[in-house]
């Protein structure tokens, strides 16, 4: 595509694009046809073309939460929409509009440099700003949904640009309206509301351990502590391929929890809504003796059993095979089903 219409530059497209560097698991993968989306205005024409060609399509952001096959058939939209802009400020809140292609960690770093504090617990999460609301990224007691005012997106079903309020996004643990309706929304911009009154959230055990009791860390201290913990516990995708947590922490009813804790007194869990309990999947996998185990080119990370890694040369089949072994082991020991967290393309 080279022509221009209404002075909007058309999206660049390329065939058989190598995606090895665009998925953090580092799998060998190519996109049959890839479109580089640099502005939201390019999307309708691209979608029209995709529809006319009756092609399958999907969006690829930072590639940090996906399992790619060797060839991605149809169209792959690579979202590079830039821009970070303060669009409002009152006594209580700073409102910031961010393009969906902006790198998440760079955005968090920028907010702290501007003294807009609150996102520090979410430091060092790989991926893009546009991907953050899809799985409602969350760490150390904070979820991104706590800070999202609205999400702007192209609705491929209705063929219109739309704005979803925080409520419309139906955020839940690792879940959202976007995740529930795959292949419908293409996120173009996320609007954040950052409260001016800041409070440290360091109750989460791993984080609390970093600070002496009674100390009052500032946002940059917390940012540094989060970066240190994550760097230790989670492998750097540039060094060893991974997609972060490979499974969700399973949520069980209180009766199942009571039975489990009697049998396994060390069980790590957290209270969840409606009298349910969220179990630490990493602990369950670890208890099956799987931490650090290797199966061919893939394996379970040695410092965090919830993370599966590509030691080099691994592919989707290898990692899904390993995942199945883990799911079976956890199910037979604890009777709990583990759900895969990354999107399988
Ligand atoms: N644990 C083990 N063995 C392991 C791993 C964990 O015993 O191999 C135990 C830990 O000792 C701890 C508990 O399990 O008591 C929980 O572990 P951790 O604090 O590492 O957190 P997590 O529940 O495994 C979740 C998120 C992570 C996030 C951390 C911190 C999910 C699926 N994962 O992991 O998110 O960094 O909490 O908030 O909710 C990600 O999504 O990619 C991710 C890394």
């Amino acid at each position: 595509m080279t022509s221009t219409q209404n002075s909007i530059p058309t999206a660049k497209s390329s065939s058989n694009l190598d995606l090895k560097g665009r998925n953090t698991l580092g799998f060998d993968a190519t996109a049959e046809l890839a479109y580089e989306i640099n502005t939201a205005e390019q999307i309708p024409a691209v979608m029209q073309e995709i529809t006319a060609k009756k092609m399958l399509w999907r969006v690829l952001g930072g590639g940090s939460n996906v399992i790619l096959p060797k060839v991605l058939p149809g169209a792959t939209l690579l979202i590079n929409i830039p821009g970070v802009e303060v669009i409002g400020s009152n006594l209580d809140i700073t409102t910031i509009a961010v393009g969906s292609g902006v790198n998440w960690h760079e955005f968090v770093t920028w907010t702290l440099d501007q003294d807009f504090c609150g996102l520090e617990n979410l430091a060092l999460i790989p991926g893009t700003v546009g991907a953050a609301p899809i799985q409602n990224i969350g760490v150390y007691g904070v979820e991104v949904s706590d800070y999202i005012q609205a999400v702007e997106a192209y609705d491929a079903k209705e063929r219109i640009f739309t704005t979803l309020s925080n409520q419309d996004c139906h955020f839940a643990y690792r879940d959202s309206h976007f995740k529930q309706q795959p292949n419908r929304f293409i996120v173009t911009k996320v609007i954040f509301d950052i409260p001016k009154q800041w409070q440290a959230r360091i109750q989460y055990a791993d984080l609390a351990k970093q600070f002496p009791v009674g100390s009052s860390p500032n946002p940059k201290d917390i940012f540094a502590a989060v970066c240190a913990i994550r760097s230790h516990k989670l492998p750097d995708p540039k060094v060893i391929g991974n997609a972060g947590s490979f499974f969700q922490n399973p949520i069980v009813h209180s009766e199942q929890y009571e039975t489990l804790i009697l049998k396994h007194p060390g069980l790590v869990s957290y209270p969840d809504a409606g009298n349910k309990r969220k179990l630490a999947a990493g602990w369950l996998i670890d208890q099956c003796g799987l931490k650090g185990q290797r199966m061919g080119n893939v394996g379970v990370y040695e410092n965090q059993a919830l993370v599966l890694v590509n030691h080099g040369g691994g592919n989707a089949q290898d990692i899904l095979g390993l995942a199945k072994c883990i799911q079976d082991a956890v199910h037979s020991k604890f009777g709990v089903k583990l759900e895969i967290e990354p999107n399988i393309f």
Side-chain angles (χ1 to χ4, degrees):
M1 290 166 73
T2 46
S3 67
T4 56
Q5 201 180 11
N6 302 333
S7 74
I8 302 161
T10 45
K12 182 177 163 241
S13 64
S14 33
S15 301
N16 304 320
L17 186 78
D18 184 4
L19 297 176
K20 191 179 168 83
R22 293 190 84 133
N23 74 105
T24 60
L25 271 162
F27 288 165
D28 277 320
T30 48
E32 190 184 343
L33 181 61
Y35 290 90
E36 300 267 353
I37 306 290
N38 298 320
T39 81
E41 290 72 25
Q42 293 173 327
I43 296 174
V46 167
M47 291 312 291
Q48 215 173 358
E49 193 169 308
I50 289 172
T51 311
K53 290 184 179 166
K54 296 193 170 49
M55 278 191 287
L56 293 171
W57 65 276
R58 84 283 305 157
V59 170
L60 190 63
S64 61
N65 201 43
V66 292
I67 301 167
L68 301 186
K70 215 162 168 41
V71 177
L72 267 171
T76 300
L77 275 57
L78 306 169
I79 307 292
N80 303 323
I81 300 171
V84 178
E85 191 188 354
V86 175
I87 56 168
S89 176
N90 62 28
L91 278 180
D92 304 318
I93 284 168
T94 307
T95 303
I96 310 168
V98 189
S100 55
V102 171
N103 174 275
W104 173 261
H105 179 69
E106 282 171 20
F107 167 57
V108 172
T109 309
W110 177 87
T111 57
L112 290 172
D113 287 343
Q114 311 299 311
D115 276 332
F116 303 144
C117 306
L119 298 178
E120 55 282 350
N121 290 42
L122 298 163
L124 223 57
I125 296 181
T128 55
V129 166
I134 307 224
Q135 61 151 331
N136 187 18
I137 56 171
V139 267
Y140 310 120
V142 177
E143 288 185 344
V144 73
S145 54
D146 301 340
Y147 292 92
I148 290 179
Q149 181 209 92
V151 175
E152 294 183 11
Y154 181 75
D155 181 342
K157 189 174 162 203
E158 303 295 336
R159 298 184 190 186
I160 49 164
F161 284 101
T162 181
T163 300
L164 290 92
S165 69
N166 182 295
Q167 241 186 348
D168 296 335
C169 295
H170 302 143
F171 289 120
Y173 168 64
R174 292 291 194 274
D175 201 11
S176 71
H177 190 52
F178 310 105
K179 201 167 165 179
Q180 290 299 325
Q181 306 218 19
N183 278 25
R184 176 160 176 195
F185 296 102
I186 302 167
V187 175
T188 55
K189 202 182 264 186
V190 182
I191 317 291
F192 293 89
D193 271 346
I194 311 288
K196 290 195 172 160
Q197 228 181 17
W198 177 81
Q199 225 188 346
R201 270 119 354 125
I202 52 168
Q203 311 83 316
Y204 194 90
D206 259 6
L207 199 49
K209 270 189 260 165
Q210 304 284 317
F211 304 105
V213 179
S215 65
S216 1
N218 66 34
K220 285 197 171 160
D221 297 333
I222 297 173
F223 176 86
V226 168
C227 290
I229 304 169
R230 286 188 70 91
S231 309
H232 171 70
K233 275 199 151 181
L234 304 168
D236 178 352
K238 288 190 199 101
V239 181
I240 180 162
N242 75 93
S245 300
F246 202 86
F247 301 99
Q248 294 182 17
N249 283 333
I251 296 169
V252 298
H253 285 284
S254 52
E255 304 87 65
Q256 188 178 4
Y257 168 72
E258 298 300 341
T259 314
L260 279 169
I261 194 83
L262 277 177
K263 231 171 131 191
H264 309 279
L267 178 70
V268 181
S269 71
Y270 319 94
D272 202 64
N275 209 20
K276 291 180 183 162
R277 299 288 298 192
K278 192 189 280 173
L279 311 181
W283 186 88
L284 300 173
I285 299 167
D286 202 353
Q287 293 298 305
C288 293
L290 295 169
K291 186 144 85 178
Q293 294 286 326
R294 195 170 168 154
M295 201 167 107
N297 292 329
V298 296
V300 180
Y301 189 52
E302 58 194 2
N303 292 338
Q304 169 41 302
L306 197 49
V307 177
L308 304 193
V309 296
N310 174 16
H311 290 291
N315 60 31
Q317 217 178 341
D318 297 334
I319 210 116
L320 293 173
L322 172 63
K324 175 81 172 66
C325 291
I326 295 169
Q327 286 169 316
D328 289 349
V330 167
H331 191 262
S332 93
K333 191 171 170 79
F334 299 101
V336 172
K337 188 167 181 265
L338 293 184
E339 300 284 353
I340 291 177
E341 160 62 26
N343 297 322
I344 304 168
F345 279 178

